[in-house]
């Protein structure tokens, strides 16, 4: 007796699409077959639908403190419910130590926050916010004992205590290379931003549009080039997160051309919108860093999504209520971030696959298989193979949904996607064999998700 | 009741390795599962062994007439038996029209030769030996009616009527691009060879070593650069066959860098031997074109095999008996070619995987998945997925075999591999669900193989 | 007592422009000074004018037999008079052996034709039309005994006996590299042209426009890439003559980027006209090989002229009377070529310098200094230095001239430049200290010119 | 009656070598002639010698305050005497404002220090040590009113108040590009150095060898890549000064390949010595920044000198007495710098030209013509043309000199060149027509030198 059978779907992996039934036992895929005839506790009819390995969003900020008592609108529960409803079955958030705090303490505290809350499986990146020897030594322990196979570094946010200077950065990358763990990098040039910001403020230019103007494309591209150079020196693997510009993408391509292992993530909002939103009435709601760039940049990012210049999708989900977003009219005082974890799959499928720009295989690679590999989860996640976790997302390719506050499950009280219509939507989602979304409604359970210890240095497929 | 179950093996695909049973019905894989418990007509115990999708050798010359009544030692039957015993479940041979003959007639005649003889499934490339409008028009019919999704062109062998000049070449590539079919190319510069040969002969230098000296690496590299330029102009997909030199590989890499769709095949002998064999007593037996190059070239080809510069393995299996090889002592009169179809998998596994140079995934890509994609057979062949043909090769990774005439199944009376010891060997081979090799012995049937109509322009995976 | 003083001009060299007088004794420049006060036999007042080193046209065809008794309209006398009136003080023509003729005999015969006729100094390139060992051995003698420091090769014109196949080509380049002599190359792919021509003729497309259509840009680019590859292999220095296309220029740039010593010449007609002339009534008069290409190609060539992608100007002066040009209406039967030696300096100055596209220094480099270096004449020619030959061209930068049959000195009875107005024109020309053009009129003497023995491997300035 | 004639020498310029006499009137070259027969006040017989345009050392630090009352050993007088004796007829020093000081005031104060002292002509670069709007506005005035056509920026030395952060840097480069002035850059990554230094000091590693180890090649290469990226963005022309590493040179080459106008200077000590000196007893005397690197780096720099990757030579002459150098044994407390202005020409000639590695033309380009162009002095300086300043250096190619404290004219009490033997030495030097060095002895006059107002954006020769 099987626990679950998904019957009659088109199974879509990064390698191809084929008709098959999928049988599940004990939370894992136990068979992939033309026809699974054994009886099962539960059967999902996926006829006419796509079955993909569950999405992995490696870039979320749930239950994050901004400052002065401002928190993100989504905590680990509401955030993972939204993720699940968007077809995401794994999220990876961050443990970000306070100044002076032990990295391990910060990690443990963050696990405590998430365990018992999360509706899907989750992992944690460690934000490396200082680089003294004692802290660096903790990275090995975190990796070996807790499976923290990835860290995050910042070239910006000096005042918020996140930035590493180049000397510290180089040592961190060297240690990451030694351990074989992945380095996620927020790449923007701090000093150029600061100089622009100071000039604007001194000229009384405080509106949201100046947020964008203070961080032009080269701000991103310079930092990517610098970190790529360091990655080349040290042998570290680097993932440039939230890539937002064509010039930044060129930097990534140039580095890869000379053999540096640099990858890029982009977010659905960079593929969907451009900086014209900063001239709208609700501009403040859509402030984020890096800011939205020009239509030409958006087009360049689509090229990267299609041709492999960009390796993974992530959401950078970081939601603040309209009230918090509007607390100040000075762009430097507005908390940055938009929602996204529920939008990755609908946007990329609708704008990419349904519009014929993107193959299904590459779609699956971007939202599931590549993140699984990069983050050290493959083939437990990201694959439809016997033995893999039964994390599965069923997409109805013909379903039309109008996105916005009503359709989405985040606690956020507004949405940059308000009114956007997509075609193709996740209808059922399975997490470790359990159906957690049915007919687009969440039917899972708070705390169902488990912490994922991960492995570094994935060697499963060339190129990653 | 299943027809066949392969139980307990490590299933190895281009994407990873996992423990699974494979169930077969009606010649196709019907399930891939942790455990297949249904009863089956036949069960193969693959415990401790690797199960890979059956090998595809896209480059064989069986039952080929050389000249003056000299034929290859292997016909379609003996050749495919050798292939099967080497873990190859699909071969692709060539239909090569006589001067003036209709391409379609040549194709039909060649099918007649093969059908009823072949022990494994087979396809045919069409050698395009002339390019007048009437002939070019036949390519469309061959592709649409007969699934001939690939052609072969030659930049050399003018006197044997095989060579196309650059004008004809360009038109052929243009037509291939229009149809979306693949172009295999023998790349050597005819005029440089001829000049070298004439000089050597005029100086009385007739020994086999002068065969090698008349075709240095740049003879290959120039032709590759030229055809790559034409491929770039026309949009044709090009497969450089039997790549033999580091300089040639650089030409392939350079073309790909600027976006031209050029791929390369190399053969096991280029990975195993170097031009020192031309100074041995049996040099004549090992004459082939392109000739073996230096150790440095061999090392460069290994790099390409590992890093993706080379996309597929093929054998260029073309065997002539020692007597035929020694009929003349003048190098220009010796029929060229060595055996190989039975050696691809053992050599690449032993020298590559067993020695730690090559990942299993890339090994499977080179011998099965990539050829399946390039030649238009994927996912019917080259994959272990529900619905794929049950072509499976089981490798015992610990078995040691000393290669040579006794161990191999070709009718050839000698072997360039004589005495070479390999570790890791195919023990069982399944073709469309039928066991055709058991315990390293052929147990299949003459004529079991079927002709494969193929599709062009495969879009299954980016990069091919 | 000096022989000649040129007073008050702006002396323009490849390195800069400065006010200076130039004193001449015994045919050579003896001083360059702010003020030359010594008395002189003759004084030219160059106030308000530019004084440049005399132009060098390394590519002319005077007194050339086409076929069936058709000869070029200009012989060595009329051709060099035209050259002189265009500011050219050195021309280099070709000695082209008959099939089977000794290279040395051909050279001596050609010298006999020119000596006593030429109005300016001249040199000869040797056209290498065969490559058997005996002939190749003559190259050394021609270079060492006769100063033939450059040869010409053809990748086309097989039927006219000019083409070398790739094997012969490689040996010729190897010998040229050994001797340190320059290789001029006509780069067009013979077989592609032939195929196009045959198709057009078979379709009854015989008009002049099909001449252009049979030789598209890639015909040139492919041959350049091939020869550049051979130049890289052998170490030969290569000059691609009459470059006509942007795609060809890209091939030159690519080769230089990887360190191959490849240079390019273009002709004034490729900078002035485009293929729209082939749709005019007089199309036949303007047929040449390679044909004029698109406006985009013309623009690309201008870029090369400005940025150094193109190294020298030459004319490819090859004139046939309107009657000869119109003897047949089938494009393959029309003798190719237009006039040009008298137009290089006026066109490049007017279209380049006067229009602000080109610096004066680069103008001098293109028409005089660079050819002097490449062809082995520097600093005897191409420089305004004490000791250099007093070959000087004085340009009135404000003089406007309407070109055409009346204004030009060729014997040709029509002109592709008819009606073109230029600004800036040579008014006085000095050859070895003797004034040969005064006030735009030829005042020199038949036979004044001397044969120039040249040196190979010029090392005077890096980069050439 | 001429003022001076230099007779019988081989005149060597960047463009070639020729026999000529040079006549001088009123401080300028008035004629260059095979034979100058007019009478002259003074005649120098240069038979058997080379006459080159006087050397230009664009990088000296005379009369520089280090800290705590420590000054360089050479002031403007002794420094320029040393320069003159090394064949240098123009030096360019720096005006470096105090924190808060007006740039113009700093410039004027520095002129006051130099005027009346200098023995040769001189210019001043302005060190841009802050970038607020008021200061940036002064750059235009300094350029337009005072001919300050070049500025200096630092990516390091934050504590000494010299460093600009990336935001300031970008604005400075933008302004420099607008004005058309050159940007000299000290390229080392401040934060990486600091981190290394702190680690060494915390480990008690205070010896001189740790100075070198704290500034490995990538410290230089990263900063070059970053500034080159900014130069590309802004269109500024950048001169990387005191290039010390092969990896840095690669960064320069990469930037130029993509069209950025980046040039490099190296110093004689980087061509002559390597980091083995830091293991010698006198290591402290040879401490400088950037430090000497490995022999491989030295070889790479020679390649750049020969092939054009490096554009100019400069000395970075900054001398401190042995006592000052040894005041502390902690490497961070030792004033950096060695002598050099007197060594540029002897070292480059002897090690380069005399040893056959370097052509004379390129030698002249590196020490005179290229600096003249880059710094906006051409053709007043750097050329031997009528009208140019009569700044001339006569080199006896056969004279052997053993360098060291006795042979050199700096006030420094030791020398890194002690005991080095060179072949080829300046014997006479002429500054604006006046002989200031005769028979290797200084015969000039304190205060003879004049301040040089310079022009930006030189367009005299392509490529600079």
């Amino acid at each position: 007796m099987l626990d679950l059978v998904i019957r009659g779907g088109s199974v879509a992996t990064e390698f191809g699409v084929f008709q098959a039934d999928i049988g599940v036992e004990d939370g894992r895929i136990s068979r992939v077959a033309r026809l699974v005839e054994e009886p099962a506790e539960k059967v999902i009819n996926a006829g006419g639908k796509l079955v993909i390995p569950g999405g992995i969003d490696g870039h979320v900020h749930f239950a994050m403190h901004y400052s002065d008592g401002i928190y993100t609108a989504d905590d680990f529960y509401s955030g993972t419910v939204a993720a699940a409803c968007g077809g995401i079955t794994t999220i990876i958030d961050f443990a970000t130590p306070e100044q002076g705090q032990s990295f391990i303490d910060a990690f443990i505290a963050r696990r405590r926050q998430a365990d018992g809350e999360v509706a899907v499986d989750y992992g944690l990146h460690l934000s490396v916010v200082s680089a003294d020897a004692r802290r660096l030594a903790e990275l090995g322990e975190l990796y070996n004992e807790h499976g923290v196979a990835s860290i995050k570094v910042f070239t910006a946010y000096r005042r918020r205590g996140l930035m590493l200077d180049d000397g510290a950065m180089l040592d961190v990358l060297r240690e990451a290379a030694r351990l074989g763990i992945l380095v996620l990098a927020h790449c923007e040039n701090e000093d150029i931003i600061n100089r622009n910001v100071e000039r604007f403020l001194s000229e009384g230019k405080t509106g949201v549009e100046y947020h964008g103007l203070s961080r032009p494309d080269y701000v991103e591209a310079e930092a990517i080039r610098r970190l790529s150079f360091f990655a080349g020196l040290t042998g570290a693997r680097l993932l440039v997160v939230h890539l937002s510009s064509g010039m930044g993408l060129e930097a990534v391509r140039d580095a890869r051309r000379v053999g540096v292992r640099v990858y890029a993530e982009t977010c659905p909002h960079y593929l969907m919108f451009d900086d014209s939103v900063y001239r709208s009435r609700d501009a403040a709601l859509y402030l984020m860093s890096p800011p939205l760039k020009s239509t030409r940049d958006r087009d360049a990012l689509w090229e990267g999504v299609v041709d492999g210049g960009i390796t993974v999708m992530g959401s950078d989900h970081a939601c603040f209520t309209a009230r918090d977003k509007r607390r100040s009219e000075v762009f430097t005082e507005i908390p940055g971030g938009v929602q996204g974890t529920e939008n990755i799959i609908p946007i990329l499928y609708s704008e990419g696959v349904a519009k014929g720009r993107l193959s299904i295989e590459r779609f699956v690679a971007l939202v599931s298989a590549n993140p699984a590999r990069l983050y050290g989860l493959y083939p437990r996640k990201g694959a439809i193979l016997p033995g893999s976790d039964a994390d599965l997302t069923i997409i109805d390719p013909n379903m039309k949904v109008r996105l916005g506050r009503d359709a989405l499950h985040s606690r956020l009280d507004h949405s940059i996607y308000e009114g956007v219509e997509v075609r193709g939507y996740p209808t059922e989602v399975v997490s470790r064999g359990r159906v957690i979304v049915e007919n687009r409604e969440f039917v899972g359970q708070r705390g169902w998700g488990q912490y994922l210890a991960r492995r570094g240095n994935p060697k499963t497929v060339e190129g990653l």
Side-chain angles (χ1 to χ4, degrees), chain A:
Chain A
M1 174 71 94
L2 298 171
D3 298 329
L4 172 68
V5 168
I6 296 171
R7 192 158 282 160
S10 291
V11 176
T13 73
E14 56 187 315
F15 314 120
V17 182
F18 50 94
Q19 291 297 320
D21 294 354
I22 299 170
V24 175
E25 289 172 277
D26 295 330
R28 301 197 164 190
I29 294 169
S30 69
R31 62 200 58 206
V32 182
R34 273 280 135 147
L35 214 61
V36 171
E37 287 166 304
E38 293 101 321
E41 297 271 350
K42 184 171 175 69
V43 173
I44 299 178
N45 177 8
K49 299 189 178 177
L50 286 171
V51 185
I52 68 168
I56 298 173
D57 182 357
H59 194 168
V60 300
H61 300 284
F62 298 152
M64 182 177 74
H65 184 222
Y66 174 67
S67 72
D68 307 323
I70 298 185
Y71 281 84
T72 50
D74 283 313
D75 57 22
F76 274 104
Y77 178 58
S78 70
T80 49
V81 167
C85 292
I88 300 295
T89 54
T90 301
I91 60 99
I92 314 182
D93 204 302
F94 301 83
T96 305
E98 300 296 312
Q99 212 56 35
Q101 189 184 17
S102 138
F103 288 0
I104 291 169
D105 290 353
F107 167 77
I108 288 170
R110 191 68 169 159
R111 276 214 53 181
R112 272 202 207 107
Q113 260 186 296
D115 287 335
E117 289 290 317
V118 287
V120 299
D121 289 355
Y122 81 106
L124 292 173
H125 312 289
L126 192 282
S127 301
V128 175
V129 295
S130 84
D132 46 74
R134 237 170 86 201
R135 292 294 160 254
L136 286 192
E138 292 179 306
L139 295 182
E141 186 178 338
L142 279 167
Y143 174 45
N144 293 315
E145 308 292 315
H146 301 281
V148 178
S150 51
I151 58 175
K152 171 86 171 285
V153 296
F154 295 83
T155 65
Y157 298 124
R158 190 187 283 123
R159 275 182 315 169
R160 285 169 57 192
L162 299 175
M163 174 174 159
L164 297 178
D165 72 29
D166 289 348
M169 189 66 84
L170 201 51
D171 281 351
V172 170
L173 264 66
R174 209 173 268 124
E175 180 65 6
R178 198 183 66 80
L179 293 171
I181 64 180
L182 179 73
V183 181
L184 287 74
H186 177 121
C187 289
E188 289 188 302
N189 184 302
E190 171 79 3
D191 289 330
I192 301 180
I193 296 171
N194 286 346
R195 185 158 175 104
N196 289 336
V197 166
E198 279 159 31
R199 182 171 45 231
F200 287 142
L201 295 186
S202 76
E203 296 169 351
K205 295 170 173 169
T206 58
V208 172
E209 66 270 35
Y210 293 103
H211 176 69
L213 295 173
S214 67
R215 294 163 177 257
D217 54 359
Y218 54 80
V219 160
E220 179 172 71
E222 188 286 324
I224 296 174
R225 289 191 181 274
R226 186 154 31 102
L227 256 63
S228 298
F229 180 72
F230 294 157
L233 283 178
T234 57
R237 282 183 307 131
L238 190 72
L239 173 65
V240 176
V241 295
H242 49 49
L243 189 77
S244 68
S245 67
M247 200 187 266
L249 179 57
E250 269 321 295
V252 171
R253 294 189 196 274
D254 280 352
R256 297 180 75 160
R257 244 189 289 272
V258 295
V260 183
R261 296 189 296 169
V262 178
Y263 308 98
E265 170 208 81
T266 195
C267 310
H269 41 282
Y270 299 118
L271 295 177
M272 196 64 208
F273 306 106
D274 62 39
D275 54 9
S276 61
V277 306
Y278 296 136
R279 296 186 291 276
S280 76
R281 234 179 41 128
D282 285 332
L285 301 182
Y286 312 141
L287 182 146
M288 75 203 66
S289 294
L292 295 165
K293 304 276 186 322
S294 71
T295 16
R296 235 182 32 179
D297 289 289
R298 197 186 58 188
D299 293 349
L301 294 174
W302 267 109
E303 266 185 49
V305 158
V306 169
D307 71 15
I310 290 170
T311 299
V312 297
M313 292 297 299
S315 71
D316 198 9
H317 188 94
C319 301
F320 296 95
T321 61
R323 188 175 145 179
D324 287 340
K325 283 278 199 180
R326 291 193 169 120
R327 226 175 33 144
S328 166
E329 296 198 329
V330 179
F331 72 88
T332 53
E333 303 301 315
I334 301 169
V338 295
Q339 67 184 178
T341 193
E342 196 169 357
N343 308 101
I344 293 174
I345 285 177
I347 291 294
L348 196 70
Y349 187 88
S350 180
E351 293 291 311
V353 182
K355 291 196 171 166
R357 297 199 245 196
L358 196 66
S359 69
I360 295 184
E361 290 86 356
R362 184 126 182 83
F363 164 75
V364 176
L366 283 156
V367 302
S368 182
N370 283 352
R373 289 214 174 78
L374 261 186
Y375 297 128
L377 292 166
Y378 190 89
R380 178 169 171 193
K381 308 288 189 188
I384 299 183
L385 292 174
S388 297
D389 278 358
D391 285 9
L392 298 159
T393 292
I394 300 174
I395 294 174
D396 179 341
N398 296 314
M399 177 166 290
K400 288 184 185 173
V401 175
R402 180 174 299 272
L403 301 181
R405 201 182 153 190
D406 293 343
L408 297 171
H409 296 75
S410 161
R411 290 215 188 100
L412 195 58
D413 54 4
H414 63 275
S415 174
I416 190 171
Y417 295 96
E418 193 69 48
V420 168
E421 202 176 77
V422 296
R423 184 170 162 202
Y425 213 87
T427 50
E428 276 73 34
V429 178
V430 174
S431 165
R432 276 181 289 108
R434 171 172 181 160
V435 180
I436 59 170
V437 173
E438 197 152 24
N439 212 357
R440 286 183 50 210
E441 280 314 306
F442 181 71
V443 297
Q445 178 190 328
R446 183 189 293 252
W448 164 258
Q450 294 181 350
Y451 173 75
L452 299 164
R454 297 173 287 124
R455 294 173 299 111
N457 249 348
K459 287 194 181 149
T460 327
V461 157
E462 329 293 311
L464 285 182

